[in-house]
Amino acid sequence: DTEVTQTPKHLVMGMTNKKSLKCEQHMGHRAMYWYKQKAKKPPELMFVYSYEKLSINESVPSRFSPECPNSSLLNLHLHALQPEDSALYLCASSQTGLRPEAFFGQGTRLTVV
Amino acid sequence: GQQLNQSPQSMFIQEGEDVSMNCTSSSIFNTWLWYKQEPGEGPVLLIALYKAGELTSNGRLTAQFGITRKDSFLNISASIPSDVGIYFCAGQYSGGSNYKLTFGKGTLLTVNP
C-alpha cells in the first residue's frame, strides 16, 4: 500500500473562516510533508515533520499551522487566509534514511474567496 | 540554494514516438526522482535513482542517474495518449535530517493520437 489519503479533495473558504486539511498514511513512514502547488508550477515545500516533530518550516506565514497528532496523521490548520493562498495543497510521506522518495496524496484544491 | 534546470519545458509529440527529457543541477544529489502529475492529481512517483551511473527501467520508462551526480534523464518509449501530463524531476542531497526535495520546473508532455 503506497497510498497517502487527503481530505477534503476540494475546499472553498472565506477569508475569516477556520478550516483544516487532513492527511493519513499507513506505510510506516516517519517523515511527512506539506507542499503548496500553483498551476503548472512545481510543488513548494511548506513543512516537514520527522518522527512527529516539526523539522522544517519554510518561512510559512502563521495563518498556516501544521500539526502531527501521530505517526500516521498530518493536519494543516488554516485561518484568515488570503485569496493568493488558493492552490493545490499536497501531503506527502517518506521513509527516513536511505530511501527518501516521497509519496504524494491527491491533494486538496483550496479556493479562498 | 540548489537549482534544477529541467528541459524541455514542453513537448508535443505523435503517439508512438520516443520522448527524452533531462534535468541538470548546479550541485550534486544523492537521489534523483522522477514524478508524473496529471491535472487535479498529486505527483506519482515513476522512478527513483540512488547511485551515480544507475540506469533503471519501469515499463516503457527508463531513467539514469548521471555519473557526475548533477544530472538525470528520463526516456519514454513508444508514447501513448495516457502518457500526457507534467513530468517533474526532483533531487535530494541527504544530510542529517534534511528531507528536502528540489524540484525541476516540469516538462509538459502532450501526445497526439
Side-chain angles (χ1 to χ4, degrees), chain A residues 9 33 35 37 41-42 45 50 56 58 90 96 99-102 104-106, chain B residues 31 33 35 37 40-43 45 50 86 88 92 99-101 103-105:
Chain A
K9 192 167 174 63
Y33 312 75
Y35 284 85
Q37 187 179 29
K41 298 289 186 182
L45 183 65
S50 173
I56 296 176
E58 291 286 273
L90 294 162
T96 57
R99 295 282 163 153
E101 60 266 32
F104 285 84
Q106 285 190 315
Chain B
T31 302
L33 306 172
Y35 290 89
Q37 187 173 24
E41 303 291 330
L45 182 65
Y50 304 103
I86 302 178
F88 291 104
Q92 187 194 46
Y99 303 109
K100 293 177 66 170
L101 288 177
F103 280 87
K105 292 187 176 180

PDB file of all heavy atoms in Angstrom, chain A residues 9 33 35 37 41-42 45 50 56 58 90 96 99-102 104-106, chain B residues 31 33 35 37 40-43 45 50 86 88 92 99-101 103-105:
ATOM      1  N   LYS A   9     -11.093  16.802  -0.781  1.00  0.00           N
ATOM      2  CA  LYS A   9     -10.492  16.934  -2.110  1.00  0.00           C
ATOM      3  C   LYS A   9     -10.604  18.381  -2.604  1.00  0.00           C
ATOM      4  O   LYS A   9      -9.724  18.880  -3.297  1.00  0.00           O
ATOM      5  CB  LYS A   9     -11.156  15.984  -3.102  1.00  0.00           C
ATOM      6  CG  LYS A   9     -10.387  15.863  -4.416  1.00  0.00           C
ATOM      7  CD  LYS A   9     -10.892  14.695  -5.227  1.00  0.00           C
ATOM      8  CE  LYS A   9     -10.249  14.633  -6.601  1.00  0.00           C
ATOM      9  NZ  LYS A   9      -8.803  14.431  -6.543  1.00  0.00           N
ATOM     10  N   TYR A  33       5.057  15.583   4.985  1.00  0.00           N
ATOM     11  CA  TYR A  33       5.309  16.887   4.384  1.00  0.00           C
ATOM     12  C   TYR A  33       3.998  17.570   3.986  1.00  0.00           C
ATOM     13  O   TYR A  33       3.041  16.906   3.586  1.00  0.00           O
ATOM     14  CB  TYR A  33       6.129  16.735   3.088  1.00  0.00           C
ATOM     15  CG  TYR A  33       7.348  15.860   3.174  1.00  0.00           C
ATOM     16  CD1 TYR A  33       7.241  14.471   3.207  1.00  0.00           C
ATOM     17  CD2 TYR A  33       8.621  16.422   3.183  1.00  0.00           C
ATOM     18  CE1 TYR A  33       8.367  13.674   3.258  1.00  0.00           C
ATOM     19  CE2 TYR A  33       9.751  15.629   3.233  1.00  0.00           C
ATOM     20  CZ  TYR A  33       9.616  14.257   3.273  1.00  0.00           C
ATOM     21  OH  TYR A  33      10.740  13.457   3.326  1.00  0.00           O
ATOM     22  N   TYR A  35       3.111  20.444   1.023  1.00  0.00           N
ATOM     23  CA  TYR A  35       3.558  21.240  -0.105  1.00  0.00           C
ATOM     24  C   TYR A  35       2.388  22.090  -0.598  1.00  0.00           C
ATOM     25  O   TYR A  35       1.227  21.698  -0.510  1.00  0.00           O
ATOM     26  CB  TYR A  35       3.996  20.354  -1.280  1.00  0.00           C
ATOM     27  CG  TYR A  35       5.324  19.680  -1.142  1.00  0.00           C
ATOM     28  CD1 TYR A  35       5.446  18.460  -0.478  1.00  0.00           C
ATOM     29  CD2 TYR A  35       6.465  20.233  -1.718  1.00  0.00           C
ATOM     30  CE1 TYR A  35       6.675  17.819  -0.389  1.00  0.00           C
ATOM     31  CE2 TYR A  35       7.702  19.594  -1.631  1.00  0.00           C
ATOM     32  CZ  TYR A  35       7.793  18.394  -0.962  1.00  0.00           C
ATOM     33  OH  TYR A  35       9.012  17.761  -0.871  1.00  0.00           O
ATOM     34  N   GLN A  37       1.128  23.973  -4.216  1.00  0.00           N
ATOM     35  CA  GLN A  37       1.413  23.962  -5.652  1.00  0.00           C
ATOM     36  C   GLN A  37       0.457  24.878  -6.390  1.00  0.00           C
ATOM     37  O   GLN A  37      -0.760  24.705  -6.321  1.00  0.00           O
ATOM     38  CB  GLN A  37       1.331  22.541  -6.218  1.00  0.00           C
ATOM     39  CG  GLN A  37       1.784  22.461  -7.664  1.00  0.00           C
ATOM     40  CD  GLN A  37       1.728  21.056  -8.220  1.00  0.00           C
ATOM     41  OE1 GLN A  37       0.915  20.243  -7.801  1.00  0.00           O
ATOM     42  NE2 GLN A  37       2.620  20.760  -9.163  1.00  0.00           N
ATOM     43  N   LYS A  41       3.173  24.818 -11.892  1.00  0.00           N
ATOM     44  CA  LYS A  41       4.437  25.048 -11.189  1.00  0.00           C
ATOM     45  C   LYS A  41       4.791  23.804 -10.386  1.00  0.00           C
ATOM     46  O   LYS A  41       3.920  22.993 -10.084  1.00  0.00           O
ATOM     47  CB  LYS A  41       4.305  26.243 -10.230  1.00  0.00           C
ATOM     48  CG  LYS A  41       3.984  27.554 -10.906  1.00  0.00           C
ATOM     49  CD  LYS A  41       5.143  28.078 -11.699  1.00  0.00           C
ATOM     50  CE  LYS A  41       4.835  29.465 -12.243  1.00  0.00           C
ATOM     51  NZ  LYS A  41       5.949  29.991 -13.068  1.00  0.00           N
ATOM     52  N   PRO A  42       6.050  23.655 -10.018  1.00  0.00           N
ATOM     53  CA  PRO A  42       6.397  22.509  -9.167  1.00  0.00           C
ATOM     54  C   PRO A  42       5.893  22.716  -7.750  1.00  0.00           C
ATOM     55  O   PRO A  42       5.621  23.848  -7.338  1.00  0.00           O
ATOM     56  CB  PRO A  42       7.934  22.492  -9.210  1.00  0.00           C
ATOM     57  CG  PRO A  42       8.322  23.891  -9.545  1.00  0.00           C
ATOM     58  CD  PRO A  42       7.237  24.434 -10.418  1.00  0.00           C
ATOM     59  N   LEU A  45       7.800  23.299  -0.983  1.00  0.00           N
ATOM     60  CA  LEU A  45       7.769  22.751   0.371  1.00  0.00           C
ATOM     61  C   LEU A  45       7.315  23.811   1.367  1.00  0.00           C
ATOM     62  O   LEU A  45       7.762  24.972   1.316  1.00  0.00           O
ATOM     63  CB  LEU A  45       9.158  22.240   0.750  1.00  0.00           C
ATOM     64  CG  LEU A  45       9.277  21.570   2.108  1.00  0.00           C
ATOM     65  CD1 LEU A  45       8.456  20.276   2.151  1.00  0.00           C
ATOM     66  CD2 LEU A  45      10.749  21.284   2.436  1.00  0.00           C
ATOM     67  N   SER A  50       9.386  15.108  11.087  1.00  0.00           N
ATOM     68  CA  SER A  50      10.187  13.895  11.191  1.00  0.00           C
ATOM     69  C   SER A  50       9.963  13.302  12.571  1.00  0.00           C
ATOM     70  O   SER A  50      10.193  13.990  13.582  1.00  0.00           O
ATOM     71  CB  SER A  50      11.659  14.228  10.977  1.00  0.00           C
ATOM     72  OG  SER A  50      12.477  13.104  11.218  1.00  0.00           O
ATOM     73  N   ILE A  56      11.257  21.151   9.610  1.00  0.00           N
ATOM     74  CA  ILE A  56      11.480  22.218   8.635  1.00  0.00           C
ATOM     75  C   ILE A  56      10.210  23.053   8.507  1.00  0.00           C
ATOM     76  O   ILE A  56       9.120  22.507   8.341  1.00  0.00           O
ATOM     77  CB  ILE A  56      11.875  21.669   7.244  1.00  0.00           C
ATOM     78  CG1 ILE A  56      13.214  20.931   7.309  1.00  0.00           C
ATOM     79  CG2 ILE A  56      11.940  22.799   6.220  1.00  0.00           C
ATOM     80  CD1 ILE A  56      13.632  20.281   6.001  1.00  0.00           C
ATOM     81  N   GLU A  58       9.410  26.274   6.102  1.00  0.00           N
ATOM     82  CA  GLU A  58       9.998  27.100   5.055  1.00  0.00           C
ATOM     83  C   GLU A  58       9.461  28.534   5.111  1.00  0.00           C
ATOM     84  O   GLU A  58       8.950  29.062   4.118  1.00  0.00           O
ATOM     85  CB  GLU A  58       9.732  26.483   3.686  1.00  0.00           C
ATOM     86  CG  GLU A  58      10.482  25.186   3.444  1.00  0.00           C
ATOM     87  CD  GLU A  58      11.964  25.426   3.202  1.00  0.00           C
ATOM     88  OE1 GLU A  58      12.361  25.667   2.060  1.00  0.00           O
ATOM     89  OE2 GLU A  58      12.732  25.356   4.185  1.00  0.00           O
ATOM     90  N   LEU A  90      -0.638  19.703  -1.140  1.00  0.00           N
ATOM     91  CA  LEU A  90      -0.250  18.309  -1.243  1.00  0.00           C
ATOM     92  C   LEU A  90       0.399  17.831   0.041  1.00  0.00           C
ATOM     93  O   LEU A  90       1.245  18.515   0.606  1.00  0.00           O
ATOM     94  CB  LEU A  90       0.750  18.119  -2.390  1.00  0.00           C
ATOM     95  CG  LEU A  90       0.227  18.383  -3.800  1.00  0.00           C
ATOM     96  CD1 LEU A  90       1.386  18.592  -4.760  1.00  0.00           C
ATOM     97  CD2 LEU A  90      -0.654  17.239  -4.269  1.00  0.00           C
ATOM     98  N   THR A  96      12.547   7.608   6.382  1.00  0.00           N
ATOM     99  CA  THR A  96      13.739   8.392   6.665  1.00  0.00           C
ATOM    100  C   THR A  96      14.942   7.552   6.238  1.00  0.00           C
ATOM    101  O   THR A  96      14.796   6.411   5.813  1.00  0.00           O
ATOM    102  CB  THR A  96      13.834   8.704   8.165  1.00  0.00           C
ATOM    103  OG1 THR A  96      13.819   7.461   8.880  1.00  0.00           O
ATOM    104  CG2 THR A  96      12.658   9.535   8.601  1.00  0.00           C
ATOM    105  N   ARG A  99      16.165   5.763   1.895  1.00  0.00           N
ATOM    106  CA  ARG A  99      15.134   5.695   0.852  1.00  0.00           C
ATOM    107  C   ARG A  99      14.200   6.889   1.020  1.00  0.00           C
ATOM    108  O   ARG A  99      13.135   6.777   1.601  1.00  0.00           O
ATOM    109  CB  ARG A  99      14.355   4.384   0.952  1.00  0.00           C
ATOM    110  CG  ARG A  99      15.213   3.180   0.672  1.00  0.00           C
ATOM    111  CD  ARG A  99      15.432   2.999  -0.817  1.00  0.00           C
ATOM    112  NE  ARG A  99      16.550   2.102  -1.102  1.00  0.00           N
ATOM    113  CZ  ARG A  99      16.665   1.377  -2.205  1.00  0.00           C
ATOM    114  NH1 ARG A  99      15.733   1.458  -3.132  1.00  0.00           N
ATOM    115  NH2 ARG A  99      17.712   0.608  -2.384  1.00  0.00           N
ATOM    116  N   PRO A 100      14.607   8.054   0.521  1.00  0.00           N
ATOM    117  CA  PRO A 100      13.863   9.285   0.822  1.00  0.00           C
ATOM    118  C   PRO A 100      12.731   9.596  -0.147  1.00  0.00           C
ATOM    119  O   PRO A 100      12.155  10.670  -0.074  1.00  0.00           O
ATOM    120  CB  PRO A 100      14.953  10.349   0.696  1.00  0.00           C
ATOM    121  CG  PRO A 100      15.809   9.828  -0.414  1.00  0.00           C
ATOM    122  CD  PRO A 100      15.817   8.319  -0.259  1.00  0.00           C
ATOM    123  N   GLU A 101      12.434   8.689  -1.086  1.00  0.00           N
ATOM    124  CA  GLU A 101      11.421   9.052  -2.080  1.00  0.00           C
ATOM    125  C   GLU A 101      10.082   9.326  -1.414  1.00  0.00           C
ATOM    126  O   GLU A 101       9.628   8.556  -0.568  1.00  0.00           O
ATOM    127  CB  GLU A 101      11.274   7.972  -3.155  1.00  0.00           C
ATOM    128  CG  GLU A 101      10.861   6.609  -2.678  1.00  0.00           C
ATOM    129  CD  GLU A 101      12.048   5.699  -2.422  1.00  0.00           C
ATOM    130  OE1 GLU A 101      13.116   6.216  -2.029  1.00  0.00           O
ATOM    131  OE2 GLU A 101      11.895   4.479  -2.591  1.00  0.00           O
ATOM    132  N   ALA A 102       9.472  10.454  -1.797  1.00  0.00           N
ATOM    133  CA  ALA A 102       8.215  10.894  -1.204  1.00  0.00           C
ATOM    134  C   ALA A 102       7.039  10.403  -2.032  1.00  0.00           C
ATOM    135  O   ALA A 102       7.076  10.423  -3.261  1.00  0.00           O
ATOM    136  CB  ALA A 102       8.187  12.417  -1.108  1.00  0.00           C
ATOM    137  N   PHE A 104       3.046  11.086  -2.693  1.00  0.00           N
ATOM    138  CA  PHE A 104       2.122  12.201  -2.545  1.00  0.00           C
ATOM    139  C   PHE A 104       0.676  11.731  -2.499  1.00  0.00           C
ATOM    140  O   PHE A 104       0.306  10.734  -3.131  1.00  0.00           O
ATOM    141  CB  PHE A 104       2.269  13.169  -3.725  1.00  0.00           C
ATOM    142  CG  PHE A 104       3.501  14.021  -3.663  1.00  0.00           C
ATOM    143  CD1 PHE A 104       4.709  13.546  -4.131  1.00  0.00           C
ATOM    144  CD2 PHE A 104       3.449  15.300  -3.131  1.00  0.00           C
ATOM    145  CE1 PHE A 104       5.855  14.329  -4.077  1.00  0.00           C
ATOM    146  CE2 PHE A 104       4.579  16.098  -3.068  1.00  0.00           C
ATOM    147  CZ  PHE A 104       5.789  15.605  -3.543  1.00  0.00           C
ATOM    148  N   GLY A 105      -0.141  12.499  -1.783  1.00  0.00           N
ATOM    149  CA  GLY A 105      -1.579  12.331  -1.847  1.00  0.00           C
ATOM    150  C   GLY A 105      -2.139  13.032  -3.079  1.00  0.00           C
ATOM    151  O   GLY A 105      -1.400  13.652  -3.850  1.00  0.00           O
ATOM    152  N   GLN A 106      -3.464  12.932  -3.240  1.00  0.00           N
ATOM    153  CA  GLN A 106      -4.122  13.536  -4.406  1.00  0.00           C
ATOM    154  C   GLN A 106      -4.233  15.053  -4.282  1.00  0.00           C
ATOM    155  O   GLN A 106      -4.497  15.739  -5.272  1.00  0.00           O
ATOM    156  CB  GLN A 106      -5.529  12.955  -4.571  1.00  0.00           C
ATOM    157  CG  GLN A 106      -5.559  11.561  -5.130  1.00  0.00           C
ATOM    158  CD  GLN A 106      -6.975  11.146  -5.504  1.00  0.00           C
ATOM    159  OE1 GLN A 106      -7.916  11.354  -4.747  1.00  0.00           O
ATOM    160  NE2 GLN A 106      -7.132  10.575  -6.669  1.00  0.00           N
TER     161      GLN A 106
ATOM    162  N   THR B  31      20.126  11.414  -4.525  1.00  0.00           N
ATOM    163  CA  THR B  31      18.946  10.721  -5.031  1.00  0.00           C
ATOM    164  C   THR B  31      18.304  11.567  -6.122  1.00  0.00           C
ATOM    165  O   THR B  31      18.198  12.790  -5.971  1.00  0.00           O
ATOM    166  CB  THR B  31      17.909  10.501  -3.898  1.00  0.00           C
ATOM    167  OG1 THR B  31      18.505   9.764  -2.834  1.00  0.00           O
ATOM    168  CG2 THR B  31      16.692   9.742  -4.410  1.00  0.00           C
ATOM    169  N   LEU B  33      14.711  11.603  -8.416  1.00  0.00           N
ATOM    170  CA  LEU B  33      13.371  11.033  -8.520  1.00  0.00           C
ATOM    171  C   LEU B  33      12.678  11.621  -9.742  1.00  0.00           C
ATOM    172  O   LEU B  33      12.892  12.790 -10.079  1.00  0.00           O
ATOM    173  CB  LEU B  33      12.537  11.351  -7.266  1.00  0.00           C
ATOM    174  CG  LEU B  33      13.155  10.964  -5.924  1.00  0.00           C
ATOM    175  CD1 LEU B  33      12.304  11.507  -4.783  1.00  0.00           C
ATOM    176  CD2 LEU B  33      13.283   9.448  -5.819  1.00  0.00           C
ATOM    177  N   TYR B  35       8.743  12.133 -11.268  1.00  0.00           N
ATOM    178  CA  TYR B  35       7.316  12.081 -10.969  1.00  0.00           C
ATOM    179  C   TYR B  35       6.518  12.467 -12.217  1.00  0.00           C
ATOM    180  O   TYR B  35       6.977  13.254 -13.046  1.00  0.00           O
ATOM    181  CB  TYR B  35       6.944  13.069  -9.862  1.00  0.00           C
ATOM    182  CG  TYR B  35       7.440  12.726  -8.485  1.00  0.00           C
ATOM    183  CD1 TYR B  35       8.680  13.159  -8.031  1.00  0.00           C
ATOM    184  CD2 TYR B  35       6.648  11.972  -7.611  1.00  0.00           C
ATOM    185  CE1 TYR B  35       9.124  12.856  -6.756  1.00  0.00           C
ATOM    186  CE2 TYR B  35       7.084  11.664  -6.330  1.00  0.00           C
ATOM    187  CZ  TYR B  35       8.321  12.110  -5.911  1.00  0.00           C
ATOM    188  OH  TYR B  35       8.756  11.800  -4.642  1.00  0.00           O
ATOM    189  N   GLN B  37       2.586  14.045 -13.065  1.00  0.00           N
ATOM    190  CA  GLN B  37       1.397  14.625 -12.462  1.00  0.00           C
ATOM    191  C   GLN B  37       0.351  14.889 -13.538  1.00  0.00           C
ATOM    192  O   GLN B  37       0.638  15.533 -14.546  1.00  0.00           O
ATOM    193  CB  GLN B  37       1.726  15.917 -11.716  1.00  0.00           C
ATOM    194  CG  GLN B  37       0.554  16.475 -10.926  1.00  0.00           C
ATOM    195  CD  GLN B  37       0.953  17.664 -10.067  1.00  0.00           C
ATOM    196  OE1 GLN B  37       1.922  18.351 -10.341  1.00  0.00           O
ATOM    197  NE2 GLN B  37       0.182  17.922  -9.010  1.00  0.00           N
ATOM    198  N   GLY B  40      -5.304  17.901 -11.632  1.00  0.00           N
ATOM    199  CA  GLY B  40      -6.143  17.655 -10.464  1.00  0.00           C
ATOM    200  C   GLY B  40      -5.667  16.538  -9.560  1.00  0.00           C
ATOM    201  O   GLY B  40      -6.365  16.178  -8.607  1.00  0.00           O
ATOM    202  N   GLU B  41      -4.494  15.981  -9.848  1.00  0.00           N
ATOM    203  CA  GLU B  41      -3.974  14.876  -9.051  1.00  0.00           C
ATOM    204  C   GLU B  41      -2.634  15.249  -8.433  1.00  0.00           C
ATOM    205  O   GLU B  41      -1.995  16.220  -8.833  1.00  0.00           O
ATOM    206  CB  GLU B  41      -3.800  13.630  -9.923  1.00  0.00           C
ATOM    207  CG  GLU B  41      -5.056  13.159 -10.627  1.00  0.00           C
ATOM    208  CD  GLU B  41      -6.086  12.593  -9.676  1.00  0.00           C
ATOM    209  OE1 GLU B  41      -5.689  12.050  -8.623  1.00  0.00           O
ATOM    210  OE2 GLU B  41      -7.299  12.717  -9.971  1.00  0.00           O
ATOM    211  N   GLY B  42      -2.198  14.454  -7.455  1.00  0.00           N
ATOM    212  CA  GLY B  42      -0.873  14.649  -6.904  1.00  0.00           C
ATOM    213  C   GLY B  42       0.178  13.979  -7.776  1.00  0.00           C
ATOM    214  O   GLY B  42      -0.140  13.119  -8.607  1.00  0.00           O
ATOM    215  N   PRO B  43       1.435  14.357  -7.607  1.00  0.00           N
ATOM    216  CA  PRO B  43       2.512  13.700  -8.365  1.00  0.00           C
ATOM    217  C   PRO B  43       2.610  12.223  -7.998  1.00  0.00           C
ATOM    218  O   PRO B  43       2.467  11.855  -6.830  1.00  0.00           O
ATOM    219  CB  PRO B  43       3.762  14.458  -7.930  1.00  0.00           C
ATOM    220  CG  PRO B  43       3.269  15.759  -7.387  1.00  0.00           C
ATOM    221  CD  PRO B  43       1.943  15.454  -6.786  1.00  0.00           C
ATOM    222  N   LEU B  45       5.096   8.910  -8.181  1.00  0.00           N
ATOM    223  CA  LEU B  45       6.489   8.517  -8.348  1.00  0.00           C
ATOM    224  C   LEU B  45       6.615   7.482  -9.458  1.00  0.00           C
ATOM    225  O   LEU B  45       5.934   6.453  -9.447  1.00  0.00           O
ATOM    226  CB  LEU B  45       7.038   7.958  -7.042  1.00  0.00           C
ATOM    227  CG  LEU B  45       8.512   7.551  -7.055  1.00  0.00           C
ATOM    228  CD1 LEU B  45       9.403   8.775  -7.256  1.00  0.00           C
ATOM    229  CD2 LEU B  45       8.880   6.839  -5.755  1.00  0.00           C
ATOM    230  N   TYR B  50      19.416   5.961  -7.034  1.00  0.00           N
ATOM    231  CA  TYR B  50      20.182   6.170  -5.807  1.00  0.00           C
ATOM    232  C   TYR B  50      21.690   6.197  -5.999  1.00  0.00           C
ATOM    233  O   TYR B  50      22.413   6.613  -5.086  1.00  0.00           O
ATOM    234  CB  TYR B  50      19.858   5.063  -4.792  1.00  0.00           C
ATOM    235  CG  TYR B  50      18.395   4.957  -4.486  1.00  0.00           C
ATOM    236  CD1 TYR B  50      17.614   3.951  -5.041  1.00  0.00           C
ATOM    237  CD2 TYR B  50      17.765   5.878  -3.642  1.00  0.00           C
ATOM    238  CE1 TYR B  50      16.255   3.857  -4.759  1.00  0.00           C
ATOM    239  CE2 TYR B  50      16.412   5.784  -3.363  1.00  0.00           C
ATOM    240  CZ  TYR B  50      15.670   4.777  -3.929  1.00  0.00           C
ATOM    241  OH  TYR B  50      14.333   4.675  -3.661  1.00  0.00           O
ATOM    242  N   ILE B  86       2.417  16.332 -16.701  1.00  0.00           N
ATOM    243  CA  ILE B  86       3.634  17.094 -16.409  1.00  0.00           C
ATOM    244  C   ILE B  86       4.600  16.164 -15.690  1.00  0.00           C
ATOM    245  O   ILE B  86       4.233  15.524 -14.694  1.00  0.00           O
ATOM    246  CB  ILE B  86       3.343  18.333 -15.543  1.00  0.00           C
ATOM    247  CG1 ILE B  86       2.346  19.246 -16.230  1.00  0.00           C
ATOM    248  CG2 ILE B  86       4.649  19.090 -15.256  1.00  0.00           C
ATOM    249  CD1 ILE B  86       1.977  20.487 -15.409  1.00  0.00           C
ATOM    250  N   PHE B  88       8.017  15.825 -13.571  1.00  0.00           N
ATOM    251  CA  PHE B  88       8.939  16.580 -12.724  1.00  0.00           C
ATOM    252  C   PHE B  88      10.120  15.696 -12.325  1.00  0.00           C
ATOM    253  O   PHE B  88       9.922  14.542 -11.926  1.00  0.00           O
ATOM    254  CB  PHE B  88       8.251  17.033 -11.425  1.00  0.00           C
ATOM    255  CG  PHE B  88       7.199  18.086 -11.593  1.00  0.00           C
ATOM    256  CD1 PHE B  88       5.846  17.753 -11.523  1.00  0.00           C
ATOM    257  CD2 PHE B  88       7.550  19.409 -11.794  1.00  0.00           C
ATOM    258  CE1 PHE B  88       4.864  18.730 -11.661  1.00  0.00           C
ATOM    259  CE2 PHE B  88       6.573  20.395 -11.934  1.00  0.00           C
ATOM    260  CZ  PHE B  88       5.232  20.052 -11.875  1.00  0.00           C
ATOM    261  N   GLN B  92      17.578  15.104  -4.284  1.00  0.00           N
ATOM    262  CA  GLN B  92      17.751  15.267  -2.853  1.00  0.00           C
ATOM    263  C   GLN B  92      19.192  15.015  -2.475  1.00  0.00           C
ATOM    264  O   GLN B  92      19.794  14.031  -2.922  1.00  0.00           O
ATOM    265  CB  GLN B  92      16.864  14.312  -2.065  1.00  0.00           C
ATOM    266  CG  GLN B  92      16.902  14.586  -0.565  1.00  0.00           C
ATOM    267  CD  GLN B  92      16.326  13.470   0.253  1.00  0.00           C
ATOM    268  OE1 GLN B  92      16.637  12.317   0.019  1.00  0.00           O
ATOM    269  NE2 GLN B  92      15.505  13.811   1.227  1.00  0.00           N
ATOM    270  N   TYR B  99      15.340  16.401   4.589  1.00  0.00           N
ATOM    271  CA  TYR B  99      14.479  15.619   3.717  1.00  0.00           C
ATOM    272  C   TYR B  99      13.977  16.444   2.560  1.00  0.00           C
ATOM    273  O   TYR B  99      13.004  16.097   1.922  1.00  0.00           O
ATOM    274  CB  TYR B  99      13.285  15.089   4.517  1.00  0.00           C
ATOM    275  CG  TYR B  99      13.695  14.271   5.708  1.00  0.00           C
ATOM    276  CD1 TYR B  99      13.523  14.762   7.000  1.00  0.00           C
ATOM    277  CD2 TYR B  99      14.269  13.023   5.543  1.00  0.00           C
ATOM    278  CE1 TYR B  99      13.912  14.022   8.099  1.00  0.00           C
ATOM    279  CE2 TYR B  99      14.660  12.278   6.633  1.00  0.00           C
ATOM    280  CZ  TYR B  99      14.473  12.776   7.900  1.00  0.00           C
ATOM    281  OH  TYR B  99      14.870  12.039   8.988  1.00  0.00           O
ATOM    282  N   LYS B 100      14.619  17.557   2.283  1.00  0.00           N
ATOM    283  CA  LYS B 100      14.092  18.450   1.268  1.00  0.00           C
ATOM    284  C   LYS B 100      14.365  17.932  -0.127  1.00  0.00           C
ATOM    285  O   LYS B 100      15.461  17.491  -0.447  1.00  0.00           O
ATOM    286  CB  LYS B 100      14.734  19.836   1.432  1.00  0.00           C
ATOM    287  CG  LYS B 100      14.323  20.542   2.704  1.00  0.00           C
ATOM    288  CD  LYS B 100      15.027  21.857   2.863  1.00  0.00           C
ATOM    289  CE  LYS B 100      14.624  22.857   1.816  1.00  0.00           C
ATOM    290  NZ  LYS B 100      15.148  24.210   2.119  1.00  0.00           N
ATOM    291  N   LEU B 101      13.316  17.973  -0.949  1.00  0.00           N
ATOM    292  CA  LEU B 101      13.439  17.687  -2.365  1.00  0.00           C
ATOM    293  C   LEU B 101      13.519  19.010  -3.122  1.00  0.00           C
ATOM    294  O   LEU B 101      12.779  19.941  -2.822  1.00  0.00           O
ATOM    295  CB  LEU B 101      12.222  16.907  -2.876  1.00  0.00           C
ATOM    296  CG  LEU B 101      12.068  15.453  -2.456  1.00  0.00           C
ATOM    297  CD1 LEU B 101      10.770  14.886  -3.016  1.00  0.00           C
ATOM    298  CD2 LEU B 101      13.256  14.624  -2.912  1.00  0.00           C
ATOM    299  N   PHE B 103      12.767  20.449  -6.773  1.00  0.00           N
ATOM    300  CA  PHE B 103      12.040  20.064  -7.975  1.00  0.00           C
ATOM    301  C   PHE B 103      12.486  20.883  -9.174  1.00  0.00           C
ATOM    302  O   PHE B 103      12.782  22.081  -9.067  1.00  0.00           O
ATOM    303  CB  PHE B 103      10.534  20.300  -7.782  1.00  0.00           C
ATOM    304  CG  PHE B 103       9.840  19.221  -7.011  1.00  0.00           C
ATOM    305  CD1 PHE B 103       9.791  19.262  -5.624  1.00  0.00           C
ATOM    306  CD2 PHE B 103       9.248  18.148  -7.660  1.00  0.00           C
ATOM    307  CE1 PHE B 103       9.152  18.264  -4.898  1.00  0.00           C
ATOM    308  CE2 PHE B 103       8.608  17.153  -6.947  1.00  0.00           C
ATOM    309  CZ  PHE B 103       8.566  17.205  -5.567  1.00  0.00           C
ATOM    310  N   GLY B 104      12.506  20.226 -10.343  1.00  0.00           N
ATOM    311  CA  GLY B 104      12.602  20.960 -11.585  1.00  0.00           C
ATOM    312  C   GLY B 104      11.261  21.625 -11.888  1.00  0.00           C
ATOM    313  O   GLY B 104      10.260  21.368 -11.219  1.00  0.00           O
ATOM    314  N   LYS B 105      11.243  22.475 -12.916  1.00  0.00           N
ATOM    315  CA  LYS B 105      10.027  23.223 -13.234  1.00  0.00           C
ATOM    316  C   LYS B 105       9.010  22.407 -14.019  1.00  0.00           C
ATOM    317  O   LYS B 105       7.889  22.859 -14.243  1.00  0.00           O
ATOM    318  CB  LYS B 105      10.374  24.507 -13.979  1.00  0.00           C
ATOM    319  CG  LYS B 105      11.115  25.503 -13.100  1.00  0.00           C
ATOM    320  CD  LYS B 105      11.307  26.842 -13.782  1.00  0.00           C
ATOM    321  CE  LYS B 105      11.965  27.822 -12.806  1.00  0.00           C
ATOM    322  NZ  LYS B 105      12.169  29.157 -13.414  1.00  0.00           N
TER     323      LYS B 105
END
